[in-house]
Every structure is written in C-alpha cells, then in structure tokens.
Amino acid sequence: MSINKKRFLNHVLSSRDFILDLIFPIECLGCGTEGVWLCKDCFRQLPIRTKQYCLNCKKPNEFGEFCPDCAPAYALDGVWIAGDYENKIIASLIKNLKYHFARDLAEILGQFLILFLRNLINKGRIGKTDLGIGINEEKIEKIKKTPEIIFDFKNCLLIPVPLHKKRERWRGFNQVLAIAKTIATHFNLELSTGLIRLKHRPPQAKLSEAKRKRNLRNCFAWTGASLANRRVILVDDVVTTGSTLNECAKILKQAGASEVWGLVAAKG
Ligand SMILES: [Zn+2]
Ligand SMILES: [Zn+2]
C-alpha cells in the first residue's frame, strides 16, 4: 500500500467511529453489550488498586515509592499502578488500546486512572475532622510518609511518555497522550508534550532487561521550558521493568524536575 493510501486509511479509521464500527463491531469487553468497549456497569466493577509497592523489590507500601534500598538506582521517585493486568477486562482494554485506533478506549482508561488518582490523593489527605481531634504521632507519621506531590497535586505537570512520530502516524494518534489529556482536563492540570522520542527503536517487549536499557539510552529529549522545581507525573499505559519511565525521568530531572512519578493503568 502506498504511504498516501495508508495515511488516508489511518485518517479515516481514526476519525470516523462509525466506519470503525463496521470494520470491528465493538461490544463490552466485560459482558458483551453491543456498541461500547465497556458498559457503565462493567466500568464500575473494575477493581482499583489500593496498595502499591516498590517496583524493584516488590516491598508493599502506600504510595508506590522506591524503597530506600532501591531508590538510589532510579531517577524516578516511584510508580503508581492503578489496576491489575491479571484482571481480564483491564488487560483487554490495554491490548485493544494498542492495536485499535480507538479514542474511546483511551477515554475509558483515562477515567479509570482518574478514579485511582482520587483514591490516592484522599489517602494522603488529613481530614479536617482528623485535625479537630488534634494531632498525634500517628498523623505526623502519615504526613511524613506521604510524598510531597500528593499534597501539591494541583500544581503538578502531566507528561505522556512519547511515541516516536513514525509510530504515531502509523497508529493515527498517540493513545497515551489521549489518556493524559482526559486526566489533565478532569483535574485541571497542566499537560506538556515537551518530552520527545528521538529514535525509532524496536518495541521493548521483545528485549531482555540489559538490551532494554541499552535500547533506551539517548532515546528521549526534553524540548520544553525549564522544569525547575516542577513535580511531574509521567503517564504511560503499562509498566514492565520501569526502564522506559526511568529513562524519561532522568531527562526530566536533568531539565530541573524535582519529583517524577510514573502513572500507569497496570503492570504488564
Ligand atoms: Zn458490560
Ligand atoms: Zn525496593
């Protein structure tokens, strides 16, 4: 197929949902109801993770931060994992997002991440009623353990992990950017696309850990304004070892970011 024809087809596929429906008749991934990727009832039943862990050693914690033993090896401060890949619906949402040109799927995953973030922020909040009874050691401990980005959530910057332009053109749109936009709109957060991917590399999933790291070196660049003292949430669909998120975090910290946290729908 010529590039122009392919581009035209991509354009049609990504912009006209009704044509898309003719080619891939959609039905709820949970219960089979026709015409939607996920019906409201099945969406409500998606389990949201309430506990997190250190991505490297899997030690459980509240906010997904790297534990003191593992943190020195990472530029990334931690990773927030909203759902479980073991959940059949979450896994198929993510797989379909990768292989179809469907903005609706990005919207659903965006809404799921919004629910997750609301839980996460609430967990860090010390309610007025709590303070009414006075401050005690337990509450001070809770405040100490809560990352600053949780208290300063409304000022943080959302950055989607970039796709290479070639891939984006092939796919018709960047699904991670679409997810990040949904979140940014909901919380009224600033969103930046200043992080770009420089080289077209083979997909990470097929590579060993060592090759993944080599594959990522010099792969990203920051093209936006200084990030001095900015707290950043780096959005991606899934995390595996965290090497992509960490490589992005390195670049963002070189640009001045004070904290960089990953936010993903699941761990693949
Ligand atoms: Zn359903
Ligand atoms: Zn650890």
Side-chain angles (χ1 to χ4, degrees):
M1 204 187 316
S2 77
I3 290 181
N4 273 345
K5 243 189 219 164
K6 204 166 141 193
R7 221 176 255 174
F8 173 73
L9 194 64
N10 275 345
H11 176 73
V12 171
L13 285 176
S14 59
S15 60
R16 307 311 292 249
D17 285 350
F18 65 92
I19 292 180
L20 196 69
D21 289 356
L22 289 178
I23 301 170
F24 309 108
I26 59 170
E27 48 184 47
C28 173
L29 291 166
C31 68
T33 299
E34 278 180 30
V36 285
W37 285 101
L38 193 66
C39 75
K40 285 204 170 88
D41 286 338
C42 292
F43 177 79
R44 267 195 294 270
Q45 284 167 33
L46 285 182
I48 298 173
R49 290 184 66 94
T50 53
K51 288 280 174 186
Q52 299 292 313
Y53 53 79
C54 166
L55 187 72
N56 191 47
C57 71
K58 312 291 181 288
K59 211 176 284 162
N61 60 33
E62 291 293 315
F63 293 101
E65 65 275 16
F66 285 105
C67 73
D69 292 336
C70 301
Y74 289 87
L76 196 63
D77 291 276
V79 182
W80 298 331
I81 302 169
D84 286 307
Y85 209 74
E86 289 68 36
N87 179 284
K88 215 176 86 246
I89 298 177
I90 291 176
S92 30
L93 280 171
I94 293 168
K95 280 181 200 148
N96 278 286
L97 180 76
K98 273 201 198 301
Y99 301 112
H100 291 297
F101 307 94
R103 281 165 212 277
D104 292 358
L105 284 167
E107 174 68 25
I108 293 166
L109 281 170
Q111 292 298 339
F112 178 62
L113 288 173
I114 288 167
L115 289 181
F116 166 77
L117 282 171
R118 277 173 29 193
N119 278 358
L120 192 78
I121 300 161
N122 278 335
K123 208 158 51 165
R125 201 165 271 166
I126 302 280
K128 271 186 190 146
T129 44
D130 289 342
L131 286 177
I133 319 163
I135 196 102
N136 58 25
E137 218 139 286
E138 199 189 317
K139 282 169 206 163
I140 291 171
E141 263 319 289
K142 188 178 168 187
I143 294 171
K144 270 197 214 153
K145 278 189 185 152
T146 305
E148 289 193 30
I149 193 164
I150 300 289
F151 296 121
D152 193 38
F153 183 75
K154 64 182 193 309
N155 290 318
C156 70
L157 178 65
L158 277 188
I159 299 180
V161 168
L163 279 180
H164 191 276
K165 278 280 171 247
K166 253 194 218 163
R167 267 183 175 276
E168 196 171 322
R169 271 203 296 271
W170 179 81
R171 212 177 254 165
F173 80 115
N174 177 349
Q175 80 279 17
V176 177
L177 172 61
I179 293 174
K181 274 184 183 163
T182 301
I183 300 169
T185 306
H186 177 87
F187 291 106
N188 198 19
L189 297 176
E190 192 184 335
L191 178 125
S192 169
T193 53
L195 185 66
I196 58 162
R197 198 180 277 257
L198 295 173
K199 294 178 203 158
H200 186 55
R201 297 293 198 157
Q204 287 286 97
K206 294 182 187 133
L207 302 175
S208 70
E209 173 64 8
K211 280 197 183 142
R212 264 169 205 264
K213 281 194 176 140
R214 226 174 306 140
N215 192 38
L216 282 169
R217 220 166 283 152
N218 306 321
C219 208
F220 299 98
W222 175 248
T223 60
S226 159
L227 292 172
N229 304 317
R230 293 303 303 266
R231 296 193 172 93
V232 174
I233 298 176
L234 202 48
V235 183
D236 209 348
D237 48 1
V238 283
V239 64
T240 43
T241 60
S243 51
T244 302
L245 288 173
N246 193 53
E247 202 55 38
C248 292
K250 258 186 224 165
I251 302 291
L252 297 174
K253 288 209 164 160
Q254 278 163 17
S258 60
E259 283 180 47
V260 181
W261 293 78
L263 170 65
V264 296
K267 184 178 182 307

